[in-house]
Amino acid sequence: MDDNSQKRRRGTGGGAARRAERTQIRHEAARFIERRIPNLDILHPEAIEIIEANAETVLEEIGVVFSDNPEALARWRDAGADVQDDRVRLPKGLARELCKTAPARFTQHARNPERNVEVGGPNLVLAPVYGPPFVRDAAGGRRYATIADFRNFVRLAYMSKWLHHSGGTVCEPTDVPVHVRHLDMLHAHMTLSDKPFMGSVTEPSRAKDSVEMAGVLFGEDFVAQNTVMTSLVNINSPLTFDGTMMGALETYAAANQAAIVSPFIVGGAMSPVSVAGTLTQVLAEVMVGVGYSQLVRKGAPVIAGAFVTSIDMNSGAPTFGTPEAAQITFGMGQLARRLGLPYRSAGAFCGSKLPDAQAAYESANSLNVGLLSGVNFMLHAAGWLEGGLVSSYEKFVMDADQLGILHGLAGGVDVSENAQAMDAIREVGPGGHYLGCAHTQANFQTAFWRTGVFDYKPFETWAEEGARDTEALATAKVARMLSEYQAPALDQGVAEALDAYVARRKSEIPESFD
Amino acid sequence: MDDNSQKRRRGTGGGAARRAERTQIRHEAARFIERRIPNLDILHPEAIEIIEANAETVLEEIGVVFSDNPEALARWRDAGADVQDDRVRLPKGLARELCKTAPARFTQHARNPERNVEVGGPNLVLAPVYGPPFVRDAAGGRRYATIADFRNFVRLAYMSKWLHHSGGTVCEPTDVPVHVRHLDMLHAHMTLSDKPFMGSVTEPSRAKDSVEMAGVLFGEDFVAQNTVMTSLVNINSPLTFDGTMMGALETYAAANQAAIVSPFIVGGAMSPVSVAGTLTQVLAEVMVGVGYSQLVRKGAPVIAGAFVTSIDMNSGAPTFGTPEAAQITFGMGQLARRLGLPYRSAGAFCGSKLPDAQAAYESANSLNVGLLSGVNFMLHAAGWLEGGLVSSYEKFVMDADQLGILHGLAGGVDVSENAQAMDAIREVGPGGHYLGCAHTQANFQTAFWRTGVFDYKPFETWAEEGARDTEALATAKVARMLSEYQAPALDQGVAEALDAYVARRKSEIPESFD
C-alpha cells in the first residue's frame, strides 16, 4: 500500500477529525538521519575473516539451544541443522545463507505517514529508552514507574524533534498488572503520538495483541501488507534462544512485522572478556536469530542487534561508554553490513545514578560511536540512566537535544557556492569581522545547530538567573514540554475502537497469566 | 643526541639525586597514543579539491597581513610574494610548496626520556587546558587563578596517567606580574613535572627566555640539537599575523623548537558562517603560518592547528561540541594530512559554567572527534571549562579519566589467539557464565578500561555513601592526588641553576615591560 492510499484511508475520519487537525499544534519533527558521511571501519580484513570463520565454528561445533520450543527444533532439522535434544548445530554457511532473504532495508510505517522511517542503508532511526522499572526526576527522586510516567515519556518523545520513533517500553508501568500492561502501553503509543512504535515481546499472545491492535489503528489490510512495528527480541546469551522471546519473534515474523534480534551482553559475563571473542559470539547469535526469522517467513524484516556493555570486574556492574563497548559497536557494524542486514546498537547508555557529568560522558561516547559505526536503529537514544534501571525525565530531554548533533554531523559538508563563502571572505578581508557581512546575515539562522537545553549565556547573566546546572535547566524544559503537549489528531472512530479493544482484552486475559 | 647520551647527561647529579630517585613514588604514565584504527575522512575528493583551490585563491587575491613586522615582509618579498604595505599576496602554490620542508613528524623531548612524545603520523599527544584566567573548584567557586593554582594543575597533569604533556599556561597565574610570569610558569613545568612542556609566546623576549631556561634544564647543546618545546602561536583570524605572535614563532623556529600555528576561530565571527568557508580560511592561514616558519628556518618543526568553535547567534557566545565544529575538525585533519603536517585540534571543550552534564556532553563530543579525525596534538584535553575562561579542578580529573578511553579505542581490536577466546566459548557453552572461566580469570585485569573517577557501585551502596555526583567524586580525587603528589627527582645542580636563572631575569626585566 503506498502513502497515498494510506492518506486516503486516514482521511475518512469525518468533520470532527478534520476540525481537530486544523486547530492542532504541530511539533517540529526531523526526518530520520540519512548519512552523508562514511562509516568508520575499525576491523581490518584479516580480523573480519578470523571472526567470521570462528562464528561458523561456534555454530558447527558448539551450536545453540532453542529451549521450550519443539517447533523451532523441527524447523532447524528441516533446514539441515544437526538437532540433539534442544541443541542445534548448524553446518558452516547455513546461518549466513538463511540471512540472505532478510531485506537490507525496510519501511516502518507510522500512523502519520510523514513519520515513517526507513530502516537500513545509510539511515539512522532514533528511538527512546526501553525497559526501566524506575523513573527519576529532580523533584520526585527515584521511584517505581507508573502508567502516568509511561504516558509522559511517550509525550516527550512525540515532542522531541530529533527522536524519530516512539519506542516501546519507555518505562515499565508497574502500577498496571503485567497480564494487561502491554495493552495500556500500546494504547499510549497509538493515541498520544503519531510516530512509529514497538510491540510487546513478553509473551507470544501479547505480540499477537500488538499485531491486532495495530490492525485497529492502521486497518488490518494495511498491517497485512506493511511493517508497522519493530520490536525487541533479546537472545539469552550465550547461545540460548528461549521459547518466550522466540514465540514473539515467530508472531512478528509471521505477520511480516519487524524484530530486532539482539544478543544482550555484559562482556565478561555473557560473552568472553575480549572484544574479538565477544564479536564472534554476537555474530553467531545474530546469524542464528535472523536466520530463524527467515525460517518462519522468508523476507520477514529483521534487524541485527548488538546490545553490548563491558563489565566492572570489581563490582560486576555493567559499564558504559567504554572503549571496549565502542570497539564492539564499530566491529559489529561492519559484520552486519557484510550480512546485508540493518544494524541496531548504541544508545545514550550510562551507569551513573544521576543525570550528571558521568552520565553525559558515557552517553556522548556511545551516541558518537553509534552514529559513526553505521547503526541503523538506535534504541535507548534518550532517557537511559543507571544502567537501564531508570528512565530519567531530565536526561531524556538532555539526550534528545544531543541527537540534533548527530543529525548535523551526519549531514556532511556542504560545498555549494553559497557554503564556499568566497564572497564573504573577500568582503571581510584580513582583520575584519564576519558577524555583519552579507553572507552571515543570509545564513546564520540555519548555519549552526543550537541547543534547546544548555546554557550559552554570559557568566553574570547565568549567575543572576540562579546558576542552574544542566539538570535544573532540563527540569524546566520537561515541565514546559509537558504543559504544552497536545495529542496528535486521531480519527474518533479509531480512538473508540482502540479503547474497545483494550477493554475487551482486559476482560478476557486471565490474571493468572502474569 | 640519542636517548643514551641524554641519560648519561642526566646521570651526573651525584649521590643526593640518586638517593632521591630511589625513594621516589613513580606515577604511572601512558605512552602517547599510537593509533591502530583508521581516521574518518568525511570530505569527499571533490570537496577537498574545491577547498584547496579556494584557499589558493584567497592567498593570491586577498592575501594576508603581517602587522608590525618589516622583517617578515622582507622574507615574503624574497620568497616571491607580492607585498604592498603590510599585505602579502602569495602566488598559487607558494605556501603549499613552503610547507613541504616542515617535518611530517618530530620528537619533543622531555627531561625524563620515557616521557618523550612523537608528534605526527598515527600518534596522538594529549596536553592539558591552556590559558584560563580563572579557576574553579567546588569548595572555592570561581576565582582568579594564582601561581599556587598553576602549580597544582602542573602536579595534576604530572600525576594523570593519560596525559602525555605538561602543557603551557594551564591557568594564568594572575598574582604574578606579567613581565615575569613566564619565568614562574616555566619553572613550575620544569621542576614539578618531568613531562614535556610548552614555552612562552606572549613576547619574543619571553620565547627567548623559554629557550634559554630549557638550555639550563636540558643542557644548551641538547636544546640546540633537539626539540624540547612545542608552543602555541595563534593567528589573528581572519588572515592576520601579528608581530608579537610571529616574533615568538621566529624565535622558536630559529631555535629549532616546535610551534603550533593555529587560527583561533569562532565561526561566524572570525570566519564565514559555513563549514566549507571556514575550512578554506583555516587552510589558507595555516599554510601561510607554517610556510613562514620555514622561511625562518627550513625544517623547523611545526604543527598545523585549528582551534575552531561555532557561535550562538543569539548571545554571540562560542559553542562547543557542535556538529559544525566536528565537521571542521574532521575536514581540517584531512587537509593537514595532505600537507604532510602534524595536526592540532579538538580538546575537552565546553561552554558550561559548571562541570556538569553540559560540560561532559560537549567535551566528550570533541574528544571523540579529536581521536577519530587524526589529531596529533590535542591541547585542552583536560580541565577546560566555561569557554576557556576557567580551569576547573574537578573537570581536570574527569577529563583526564576519559582520555583513557581514547587510548583503549585507538588500540584497535586484538585478534590474537588469546583474544579470539574460542576455548572460552567452548568451555562455557550455551546458557553458561563466563565470569568463572579460565580465559576470564587470565584476562580480566587488563581486559577493560576502568574509570578512576566514576561510580559503578550498586544504587544502595552509592546512596549510603552520600549519593555523590561526579563533581563530588572528582573533588575527592583532586584532594587525594594533591596530597599524594611528590615531585620527580631533579639534579640538585640543575634545580639551583633554574632558580638562579629565574632570580636573575626577574631582576633584569623592567616592570614597564608588562
Side-chain angles (χ1 to χ4, degrees):
Chain A
M1 197 180 272
D2 63 20
D3 279 359
N4 275 338
S5 63
Q6 194 180 2
K7 273 179 202 146
R8 276 198 304 279
R9 176 182 53 79
R10 296 175 35 73
T12 57
R18 279 196 295 276
R19 275 190 299 282
E21 281 196 34
R22 278 199 298 275
T23 59
Q24 195 64 25
I25 290 183
R26 289 185 66 86
H27 301 292
E28 210 182 344
R31 194 166 175 269
F32 55 85
I33 292 174
E34 196 174 344
R35 289 177 182 82
R36 289 186 202 129
I37 59 172
N39 300 314
L40 182 70
D41 290 339
I42 70 164
L43 294 180
H44 51 76
E46 191 204 351
I48 289 175
E49 201 177 307
I50 289 169
I51 291 165
E52 288 184 343
N54 284 350
E56 295 288 352
T57 301
V58 166
L59 294 181
E60 184 178 59
E61 283 185 22
I62 306 166
V64 299
V65 164
F66 273 74
S67 56
D68 306 316
N69 199 339
E71 204 182 341
L73 298 174
R75 285 195 176 105
W76 279 116
R77 196 175 287 112
D78 291 348
D82 167 32
V83 178
Q84 315 253 354
D85 300 326
D86 57 5
R87 180 81 65 112
V88 179
R89 290 183 178 81
L90 290 82
K92 283 183 181 166
L94 173 60
R96 183 170 290 269
E97 187 63 29
L98 289 174
C99 289
K100 285 184 181 165
T101 56
R105 51 196 291 173
F106 63 89
T107 302
Q108 182 186 349
H109 292 262
R111 71 166 161 105
N112 177 350
E114 289 173 24
R115 307 277 178 272
N116 290 356
V117 293
E118 191 77 26
V119 180
N123 302 334
L124 172 56
V125 174
L126 300 166
V129 61
Y130 187 105
F134 298 101
V135 296
R136 172 185 276 281
D137 61 12
R142 183 184 191 257
R143 58 192 186 270
Y144 276 104
T146 65
I147 190 68
D149 292 309
F150 188 98
R151 291 178 183 136
N152 279 339
F153 280 107
V154 172
R155 293 180 181 113
L156 291 175
Y158 168 63
M159 297 174 80
S160 295
K161 175 174 176 182
W162 309 114
L163 278 168
H164 316 117
H165 205 280
S166 193
T169 310
V170 289
C171 60
E172 280 287 350
T174 58
D175 55 343
V176 180
V178 171
H179 68 290
V180 293
R181 193 178 283 174
H182 62 292
L183 299 168
D184 284 353
M185 295 197 285
L186 285 162
H187 189 269
H189 285 297
M190 292 178 179
T191 59
L192 302 178
S193 178
D194 65 0
K195 294 183 178 180
F197 57 86
M198 301 166 79
S200 178
V201 294
T202 51
E203 233 293 318
S205 68
R206 294 173 195 153
K208 190 159 162 286
D209 281 341
S210 305
V211 175
E212 286 181 4
M213 241 176 117
V216 176
L217 180 67
F218 288 92
E220 277 178 33
D221 287 352
F222 190 83
V223 173
Q225 292 166 52
N226 295 283
T227 297
V228 300
M229 279 182 291
T230 296
S231 300
L232 180 62
V233 173
N234 281 328
I235 298 167
N236 277 10
S237 301
L239 302 172
T240 303
F241 297 75
D242 75 55
T244 302
M245 278 286 170
M246 287 306 105
L249 175 63
E250 289 156 14
T251 304
Y252 286 121
N256 205 32
Q257 299 305 307
I260 304 165
V261 180
S262 233
F264 180 95
I265 286 187
V266 178
M270 287 91 114
S271 76
V273 78
S274 64
V275 169
T278 296
L279 281 170
T280 300
Q281 183 184 307
V282 167
L283 176 61
E285 291 172 344
V286 161
M287 288 197 300
V288 169
V290 170
Y292 182 64
S293 74
Q294 302 303 300
L295 287 182
V296 175
R297 175 167 170 163
K298 267 197 175 57
V302 64
I303 301 174
F307 176 95
V308 181
T309 80
S310 39
I311 192 172
D312 172 35
M313 284 294 181
N314 288 31
S315 64
T319 55
F320 302 91
T322 63
E324 297 78 25
Q327 290 180 336
I328 292 165
T329 305
F330 278 117
M332 192 58 205
Q334 284 179 261
L335 296 167
R337 286 190 288 281
R338 284 171 58 85
L339 284 168
L341 294 173
Y343 175 44
R344 171 257 164 150
S345 196
F349 294 138
C350 62
S352 186
K353 320 295 184 291
L354 298 169
D356 60 0
Q358 174 178 346
Y361 281 116
E362 292 172 334
S363 296
N365 288 344
S366 185
L367 291 174
N368 280 284
V369 168
L371 175 68
L372 302 180
S373 64
V375 165
N376 299 115
F377 191 93
M378 193 192 293
L379 199 57
H380 309 299
W384 165 291
L385 196 69
E386 201 188 318
L389 285 174
V390 173
S391 292
S392 158
Y393 279 90
E394 282 87 359
K395 187 152 179 289
F396 194 98
V397 299
M398 293 180 199
D399 290 333
D401 189 56
Q402 288 291 297
L403 301 180
I405 295 178
L406 304 191
H407 283 72
L409 177 51
V413 177
D414 177 9
V415 287
S416 66
E417 209 173 300
N418 178 58
Q420 291 178 44
M422 287 297 280
D423 288 346
I425 301 176
R426 286 192 186 94
E427 178 186 338
V428 171
H433 212 287
Y434 284 88
L435 277 180
C437 85
H439 181 264
T440 304
Q441 292 302 312
N443 291 280
F444 79 88
Q445 282 181 309
T446 55
F448 296 135
W449 169 82
R450 191 171 193 276
T451 183
V453 180
F454 291 170
D455 177 89
Y456 289 160
K457 292 174 182 155
F459 177 80
E460 291 70 20
T461 316
W462 168 81
E464 278 163 22
E465 291 180 1
R468 291 181 295 177
D469 68 4
T470 321
E471 184 178 15
L473 295 168
T475 300
K477 170 135 182 148
V478 169
R480 200 165 56 244
M481 288 174 75
L482 291 179
S483 75
E484 290 173 0
Y485 170 81
Q486 279 203 324
L490 178 61
D491 179 288
Q492 203 183 328
V494 172
E496 285 164 8
L498 288 173
D499 292 348
Y501 184 90
V502 170
R504 176 172 65 79
R505 289 294 293 147
K506 281 191 174 180
S507 73
E508 286 172 1
I509 306 173
E511 255 188 82
S512 62
F513 201 60
D514 268 26
Chain B
M1 195 182 272
D2 62 22
D3 279 0
N4 275 337
S5 64
Q6 193 181 3
K7 273 180 202 146
R8 275 197 305 278
R9 177 182 53 78
R10 297 177 32 74
T12 57
R18 280 196 295 276
R19 277 190 300 280
E21 282 196 34
R22 278 198 300 274
T23 59
Q24 196 62 28
I25 290 181
R26 289 184 66 85
H27 301 292
E28 210 182 344
R31 196 166 173 269
F32 55 86
I33 292 174
E34 196 175 343
R35 289 178 181 81
R36 289 188 201 126
I37 59 172
N39 300 314
L40 182 70
D41 291 338
I42 70 163
L43 295 180
H44 50 76
E46 192 204 350
I48 289 175
E49 203 178 305
I50 290 170
I51 291 165
E52 288 184 342
N54 284 351
E56 295 288 351
T57 301
V58 166
L59 295 180
E60 184 179 57
E61 284 184 23
I62 306 166
V64 299
V65 164
F66 274 74
S67 58
D68 306 317
N69 199 338
E71 205 182 341
L73 299 173
R75 283 194 175 106
W76 278 117
R77 197 174 287 115
D78 291 348
D82 168 31
V83 180
Q84 316 251 356
D85 300 326
D86 57 4
R87 180 81 66 112
V88 179
R89 291 183 176 81
L90 291 82
K92 283 183 181 164
L94 174 59
R96 182 170 289 269
E97 186 63 29
L98 289 174
C99 289
K100 286 185 181 165
T101 56
R105 53 196 288 174
F106 63 88
T107 302
Q108 181 187 352
H109 292 262
R111 72 166 162 104
N112 177 350
E114 288 173 23
R115 307 279 177 271
N116 291 355
V117 292
E118 191 79 24
V119 181
N123 302 333
L124 172 56
V125 174
L126 300 166
V129 60
Y130 188 104
F134 298 101
V135 296
R136 174 184 276 280
D137 62 12
R142 184 186 192 254
R143 60 191 186 271
Y144 277 104
T146 65
I147 189 70
D149 292 310
F150 188 99
R151 290 178 184 136
N152 279 339
F153 280 107
V154 172
R155 292 180 181 112
L156 291 175
Y158 169 63
M159 297 173 80
S160 294
K161 175 175 177 182
W162 308 112
L163 279 168
H164 316 116
H165 205 280
S166 193
T169 310
V170 288
C171 60
E172 280 286 349
T174 59
D175 55 343
V176 180
V178 171
H179 68 292
V180 294
R181 195 178 281 172
H182 62 292
L183 299 168
D184 284 354
M185 295 197 284
L186 286 162
H187 189 270
H189 284 298
M190 291 179 179
T191 59
L192 302 178
S193 179
D194 64 1
K195 292 182 179 179
F197 57 87
M198 302 167 79
S200 177
V201 294
T202 51
E203 232 294 315
S205 68
R206 293 171 197 153
K208 191 160 161 284
D209 280 342
S210 304
V211 175
E212 286 181 3
M213 242 176 114
V216 176
L217 180 67
F218 288 91
E220 277 178 34
D221 287 354
F222 189 83
V223 172
Q225 293 166 50
N226 294 284
T227 297
V228 300
M229 278 181 292
T230 296
S231 300
L232 180 62
V233 172
N234 280 328
I235 298 167
N236 277 11
S237 300
L239 302 170
T240 304
F241 297 75
D242 74 56
T244 303
M245 278 286 171
M246 286 306 106
L249 175 62
E250 290 156 14
T251 304
Y252 286 120
N256 206 31
Q257 299 305 307
I260 304 164
V261 180
S262 232
F264 179 95
I265 286 186
V266 179
M270 288 90 115
S271 76
V273 79
S274 64
V275 169
T278 296
L279 281 170
T280 300
Q281 184 185 308
V282 167
L283 177 61
E285 292 173 343
V286 161
M287 287 198 300
V288 169
V290 170
Y292 183 64
S293 76
Q294 303 302 299
L295 288 181
V296 175
R297 175 168 171 162
K298 269 197 171 59
V302 64
I303 300 173
F307 175 94
V308 181
T309 79
S310 39
I311 192 170
D312 173 34
M313 284 293 180
N314 289 30
S315 64
T319 53
F320 302 91
T322 63
E324 297 78 25
Q327 289 180 337
I328 293 167
T329 305
F330 278 117
M332 192 57 206
Q334 284 180 263
L335 297 167
R337 286 191 288 282
R338 284 171 57 85
L339 285 167
L341 295 172
Y343 175 45
R344 172 255 162 151
S345 198
F349 295 138
C350 63
S352 186
K353 318 296 184 292
L354 299 170
D356 59 1
Q358 175 179 346
Y361 281 116
E362 293 174 332
S363 297
N365 288 345
S366 185
L367 291 175
N368 279 284
V369 168
L371 175 68
L372 301 180
S373 64
V375 166
N376 299 116
F377 191 93
M378 192 193 292
L379 200 57
H380 310 299
W384 165 293
L385 196 69
E386 201 189 318
L389 286 174
V390 174
S391 293
S392 158
Y393 279 90
E394 281 87 0
K395 185 151 180 290
F396 193 99
V397 301
M398 293 179 197
D399 290 332
D401 189 56
Q402 287 291 298
L403 301 180
I405 294 176
L406 304 191
H407 284 73
L409 176 50
V413 176
D414 177 8
V415 287
S416 65
E417 209 172 301
N418 179 58
Q420 291 178 44
M422 287 297 281
D423 286 347
I425 300 176
R426 286 191 184 95
E427 178 186 337
V428 171
H433 212 287
Y434 284 87
L435 278 180
C437 85
H439 180 263
T440 304
Q441 291 302 312
N443 291 281
F444 79 89
Q445 283 183 308
T446 55
F448 295 135
W449 170 81
R450 188 169 195 276
T451 183
V453 179
F454 291 170
D455 177 88
Y456 289 161
K457 292 174 181 154
F459 177 82
E460 291 71 19
T461 314
W462 168 81
E464 279 163 21
E465 292 180 1
R468 291 180 296 176
D469 67 4
T470 321
E471 184 178 15
L473 295 167
T475 300
K477 170 134 182 151
V478 169
R480 199 164 57 244
M481 287 175 77
L482 291 179
S483 75
E484 288 173 0
Y485 170 81
Q486 279 202 323
L490 178 61
D491 179 287
Q492 202 183 330
V494 171
E496 286 165 7
L498 288 172
D499 293 347
Y501 184 91
V502 170
R504 176 172 66 79
R505 290 294 292 147
K506 281 191 174 179
S507 72
E508 285 172 359
I509 306 173
E511 255 188 79
S512 61
F513 202 61
D514 266 29

